[in-house]
Amino acid sequence: RNSIAHPSTARALPRIFTRMLALILAAVVSVPATVHENMIFVEARVNGGPPATFLVDTAASRTVVDARLGVKADSEAGLDIGGLHVKVPKVGTMDLGFFAVSEDLKLDGVLGMDVFRQFAIEMDFDAALVRFHPPGFEGGGEAIPIRIEKNQPYLKATLKMPGAKAIAREYL
């Protein structure tokens, strides 16, 4: 008997191929971004809703969405960021209507560390892309070690201003 012809096998094959393709394609997801005054924004859909504009903010401890998107505070939300599906366990909500970057660019949310901790993030301001790599990815760029405390990233750096003494410390 040909096991490929068996109905349960025929149903399982597309799932297997879909899963294999997802693993292959999961190497990196490049998301087009908008760069405005040293800030980088990406489009995302919250729980399958319409496209929304999110600020990529590595100093934000958690993801926040505008209250008008209808997401309940502290509930789980699903984000679709350029085809990448991300679960946010406890999304925050607030009125972001006050934050209009420009006439054409309105803020609908902020991507925070609860999203970034799931990936290795590469922000390419020149190419206007945000790349989401699998955790542990080590690319050709320079890795900057960070310490996470209470879901906020800190890095050690030395700040040197002209005519002033260099100051080494941790920065948020």
Side-chain angles (χ1 to χ4, degrees):
R1 180 172 172 192
N2 186 347
S3 62
I4 296 292
H6 192 273
S8 65
T9 305
R11 283 191 304 271
L13 281 176
R15 286 192 303 254
I16 292 168
F17 289 128
T18 301
R19 186 172 282 169
M20 287 173 51
L21 183 60
L23 290 172
I24 293 166
L25 295 177
V28 62
V29 174
S30 295
V31 178
T34 299
V35 178
H36 181 79
E37 295 182 6
N38 289 327
M39 294 181 287
I40 194 161
F41 300 86
V42 294
E43 188 176 275
R45 294 176 184 269
V46 182
N47 295 333
T53 302
F54 279 75
L55 171 66
V56 176
D57 187 352
T58 58
S61 61
R62 66 191 277 200
T63 296
V64 175
V65 299
D66 193 293
R68 67 185 157 73
L69 295 180
V71 177
K72 184 179 175 188
D74 295 327
S75 66
E76 181 177 277
L79 297 180
D80 182 326
I81 309 166
L84 180 70
H85 302 287
V86 181
K87 291 267 189 232
V88 180
K90 290 178 83 174
V91 70
T93 61
M94 67 183 295
D95 179 6
L96 295 172
F98 68 92
F99 193 96
V101 178
S102 70
E103 204 171 293
D104 299 331
L105 191 58
K106 308 288 188 258
L107 186 65
D108 299 309
V110 177
L111 292 180
M113 285 302 294
D114 49 1
V115 169
F116 304 138
R117 290 185 84 154
Q118 299 177 49
F119 305 94
I121 304 297
E122 178 186 357
M123 291 182 281
D124 187 336
F125 284 76
D126 294 331
L129 289 172
V130 177
R131 295 182 186 96
F132 292 82
H133 297 276
F137 171 80
E138 293 184 23
E142 182 179 344
I144 301 173
I146 60 172
R147 178 179 62 83
I148 308 290
E149 183 177 308
K150 295 183 181 174
N151 224 22
Q152 297 211 315
Y154 294 87
L155 63 94
K156 289 183 181 179
T158 302
L159 180 62
K160 174 71 174 113
M161 301 290 287
K165 184 178 165 185
I167 302 170
R169 60 177 283 194
E170 280 194 328
Y171 295 92
L172 176 63

